[in-house]
Amino acid sequence: MRLPDAEGAAYNHRLWEHEDRCLPDTRVELRQKIMDWFEDPDGECIFWLNGMAGTGKSTISRTVAWDFAERKRLAASFFFSRGRGDISHAGQFFTTIAAQLTRSLPVLRPLISKAVEENFDILKQGLSEQWKHLILDPLKKASVQSIQLVVVIDALDECDSKDDIRLILKLLAQAKCLETIRLRVLVTSRPETPILLGFHNLPGDAYQDFVLHNIPPPTVNQDISIFFRRKLSSVKSKPKLSTTPWPDEPTIQKLVEKAAGLFIYAATVYRFIGDDNYTPEEQLSMILEDHESPSQSPTKHLDDMYTKLLQHSVVGHQTIHMDNHLAVRFRKIVGSITIMCDIMAAKEIAKLLHLPSISTTLASLHSVLNVPENEDQPIRIFHPSFRDFLLDPQRCLDSRFSIDPKEAHITLFRNCMALLADLQQDLCNLREPGVSVSDIPEGIIQQHIPAHIHYACRYWFHHFQLGNPIQEDMVRIQRFLEQDFLHWLEALSLIREASNGVLMVKGLEVTLGVS
């Protein structure tokens, strides 16, 4: 049996290829502190690096993972990311860690394989059992010279289950009992309640924490100024840019002040200024404009920047007027990308939303969305802070761009229902009712159940639960149960999601009050 390995979990997965790593002379003290913790034989089992959104946690964890990998001390990595399939939840967390352990430490391979054979239903068992049989016991039994390894877990707060977060921390703390293969764990996250409770329930000697946003401002500002100088220097070669030194030092310092310690501000400003559709000077001057705002929140400058970016990129120079159709289209497309359960390519999102194309809307949003030139590659939000901004009406004060999550969810539900209505019996034209799913070539299934249909089958109920349904939506579900239910079950079987279908049916019974 091959252990499920969550797509995109590893630090060096294709998904993260274009994400930044720390510049060589930035975050020097912090990176050394992490290395000192790792090398200290009496150090705590877990190092918790926490900080508010935008402080650079993922960039640090990515950099540190590469550093450990080069030293052959990286055991495994798992980069959580909300709304990205199997890395948005803990369902495949320990199986992924175990699968990576067999590659980083081959001596564990026979031990983990034996554990799978002896626990044939291990994939259906809980996280505690998977941790014990697939990771902890093999690490205890391995016959190998003493070695110390690290597991890097990024953005644990992006895991969609609070209970799983607390359980994962509790289980990982058990690694302190290992003697021959000593396992250390680096965890990064926002300091949100489930994480705080999880750590507070651990023994004091099980972890040490480091609060990223408490680093002295001069140190952070120095790193951000280095970032601006290095990155903006690459824009100097653009045509029509003045020959005078650009940007000058006062401008760099003003950008650093506006960043207010948030690296995501710096990264987004750099992408915005480097937009090929506008001149760098024009983009920079827009960022430097000062507008009085009553907001004194920690994200004030970040929110102002996102607002300016959207007003400029989506509306253009006509900031006072925005066609209602354009605003509705923006909220439908970007709102869907913001709350979707998995990443998808632009052409598949367009099919899901029953639109001819979404390229025009996305073309102006390269500063905040990773929009590949190849429409077969998935669209991604660069940083969770942009999603948080759009979904919070207290932060996104321009109603043209503010996303109502309940409205976005119910819109996706309705689009999913429309797609399910087109399902037919024998979707893959097999003409063999008894054929095993494992015998059907994957290409045949993908041909007849492409990504947007797959998404609709898997997540329609999720969006219904989180939306604001009206009576017409109850009628849609009634019609689905009467006409499309069996076709949907067939589709779920083909995409190997039948077990999730059972859970959705049970959830629907509870939601509708059916006994």
Side-chain angles (χ1 to χ4, degrees):
M1 182 197 310
R2 182 178 178 182
L3 290 174
D5 196 346
E7 182 77 13
Y11 77 102
N12 59 352
H13 188 273
R14 175 75 174 84
L15 185 65
W16 313 113
E17 186 170 16
H18 300 296
E19 299 293 334
D20 285 331
R21 279 186 263 169
C22 298
L23 294 173
D25 44 1
T26 62
R27 301 293 201 181
V28 175
E29 292 182 9
L30 174 57
R31 289 160 63 185
Q32 186 58 52
K33 186 177 183 66
I34 293 172
M35 284 298 174
D36 291 343
W37 156 77
F38 173 75
E39 293 174 350
D40 182 0
D42 299 319
E44 296 84 353
C45 175
I46 300 174
F47 189 105
W48 177 32
L49 180 64
N50 74 85
M52 60 184 289
T55 49
K57 299 181 296 297
S58 292
T59 302
I60 295 167
S61 58
R62 224 174 356 258
T63 304
V64 170
W66 280 99
D67 291 344
F68 278 121
E70 289 178 358
R71 298 173 58 174
K72 300 188 183 304
R73 289 294 178 265
L74 182 68
S77 58
F78 199 104
F79 280 57
F80 281 99
S81 185
R82 187 173 294 132
R84 293 187 187 176
D86 292 331
I87 57 174
S88 66
H89 58 81
Q92 296 183 12
F93 177 73
F94 284 125
T95 61
T96 299
I97 298 298
Q100 292 184 30
L101 278 171
T102 63
R103 296 190 286 271
S104 59
L105 205 60
V107 70
L108 293 176
R109 192 170 300 157
L111 295 171
I112 293 176
S113 295
K114 183 179 180 182
V116 172
E117 292 174 4
E118 293 177 349
N119 299 272
F120 65 91
D121 61 345
I122 190 68
L123 302 185
K124 298 179 181 178
Q125 294 179 16
L127 294 177
S128 299
E129 292 298 299
Q130 291 182 358
W131 159 255
K132 178 179 185 299
H133 295 298
L134 298 179
I135 299 175
L136 190 62
D137 287 349
L139 287 171
K140 288 179 178 178
K141 298 174 182 176
S143 177
V144 64
Q145 288 184 339
S146 180
I147 188 173
Q148 186 149 294
L149 300 172
V150 67
V151 174
V152 176
I153 302 170
D154 182 64
L156 182 58
D157 54 289
E158 293 276 299
C159 177
D160 63 9
S161 169
K162 298 176 182 178
D163 291 335
D164 285 346
I165 288 173
R166 290 192 288 267
L167 179 57
I168 285 172
L169 291 174
K170 178 182 176 181
L171 295 172
L172 291 174
Q174 296 175 8
K176 65 181 179 181
C177 71
L178 295 170
E179 298 178 355
T180 305
I181 301 178
R182 299 184 302 278
L183 202 64
R184 296 290 176 84
V185 184
L186 171 65
V187 177
T188 72
S189 76
R190 301 185 194 186
E192 296 183 350
T193 301
I195 309 284
L196 290 168
L197 291 176
F199 276 108
H200 289 167
N201 288 332
L202 299 181
D205 60 350
Y207 74 98
Q208 79 172 81
D209 63 340
F210 187 92
V211 182
L212 198 54
H213 52 263
N214 283 350
I215 294 178
T219 302
V220 178
N221 289 343
Q222 175 65 17
D223 288 346
I224 291 177
S225 67
I226 292 172
F227 176 90
F228 275 127
R229 289 190 193 94
R230 297 276 181 85
K231 291 294 188 177
L232 294 183
S233 66
S234 66
V235 184
K236 287 183 179 180
S237 60
K238 290 204 170 193
K240 301 180 181 179
L241 191 62
S242 64
T243 56
T244 56
W246 186 93
D248 58 22
E249 192 58 29
T251 298
I252 292 290
Q253 292 309 311
K254 191 167 185 180
L255 288 173
V256 171
E257 289 176 18
K258 284 180 169 288
L262 298 180
F263 279 83
I264 185 56
Y265 181 97
T268 307
V269 163
Y270 161 65
R271 289 192 296 267
F272 183 67
I273 292 174
D275 191 329
D276 291 330
N277 296 314
Y278 304 93
T279 66
E281 289 175 321
E282 178 186 1
Q283 299 290 82
L284 177 59
S285 64
M286 185 173 304
I287 291 295
L288 293 176
E289 289 177 0
D290 282 316
H291 297 289
E292 292 298 323
S293 171
S295 171
Q296 297 300 320
S297 73
T299 60
K300 173 189 178 299
H301 291 303
L302 184 64
D303 297 345
D304 289 346
M305 181 196 63
Y306 281 144
T307 300
K308 288 179 184 178
L309 185 153
L310 292 174
Q311 289 174 345
H312 177 68
S313 301
V314 179
V315 187
H317 294 290
Q318 300 178 3
T319 55
I320 298 177
H321 173 72
M322 179 178 181
D323 181 77
N324 184 59
H325 173 73
L326 190 61
V328 171
R329 183 179 175 87
F330 172 87
R331 290 194 295 270
K332 181 174 183 178
I333 295 171
V334 179
S336 296
I337 293 173
T338 300
I339 55 96
M340 284 176 66
C341 300
D342 205 350
I343 53 175
M344 293 173 63
K347 66 178 184 179
E348 296 295 342
I349 295 175
K351 292 175 183 177
L352 178 64
L353 300 179
H354 298 87
L355 296 173
S357 172
I358 62 173
S359 299
T360 302
T361 299
L362 298 179
S364 58
L365 296 172
H366 287 257
S367 301
V368 287
L369 298 180
N370 186 343
V371 185
E373 293 183 7
N374 184 349
E375 285 201 347
D376 291 326
Q377 297 298 315
I379 306 295
R380 296 189 291 109
I381 293 177
F382 273 118
H383 195 269
S385 63
F386 182 60
R387 177 187 63 220
D388 297 343
F389 165 77
L390 291 176
L391 297 176
D392 187 346
Q394 300 301 314
R395 294 180 59 188
C396 184
L397 302 179
D398 191 328
S399 60
R400 298 173 297 181
F401 307 115
S402 182
I403 306 298
D404 181 338
K406 286 185 174 294
E407 188 61 30
H409 278 293
I410 207 63
T411 297
L412 270 178
F413 160 75
R414 291 164 186 164
N415 281 282
C416 289
M417 283 286 103
L419 290 171
L420 296 183
D422 292 332
L423 296 178
Q424 302 291 328
Q425 184 176 348
D426 193 15
L427 281 171
C428 294
N429 294 322
L430 300 174
R431 304 182 187 280
E432 299 179 46
V435 67
S436 171
V437 173
S438 60
D439 293 332
I440 305 173
E442 190 64 31
I444 295 293
I445 297 176
Q446 292 178 357
Q447 176 186 348
H448 291 88
I449 309 179
H452 64 292
I453 302 294
H454 186 293
Y455 186 94
C457 290
R458 177 67 182 85
Y459 295 114
W460 67 267
F461 180 63
H462 170 81
H463 293 301
F464 173 74
Q465 281 184 306
L466 297 181
N468 51 352
I470 59 177
Q471 184 58 37
E472 291 179 7
D473 297 311
M474 302 301 156
V475 174
R476 287 185 175 91
I477 288 183
Q478 184 67 30
R479 180 196 173 283
F480 163 74
L481 293 173
E482 292 174 351
Q483 301 181 26
D484 309 314
F485 183 72
L486 294 179
H487 301 153
W488 171 64
L489 289 180
E490 179 190 344
L492 284 179
S493 298
L494 290 167
I495 62 176
R496 297 172 173 82
E497 293 284 358
S499 59
N500 282 316
V502 174
L503 296 176
M504 283 188 271
V505 171
K506 289 182 177 179
L508 187 61
E509 289 180 349
V510 173
T511 301
L512 299 181
V514 178
S515 58

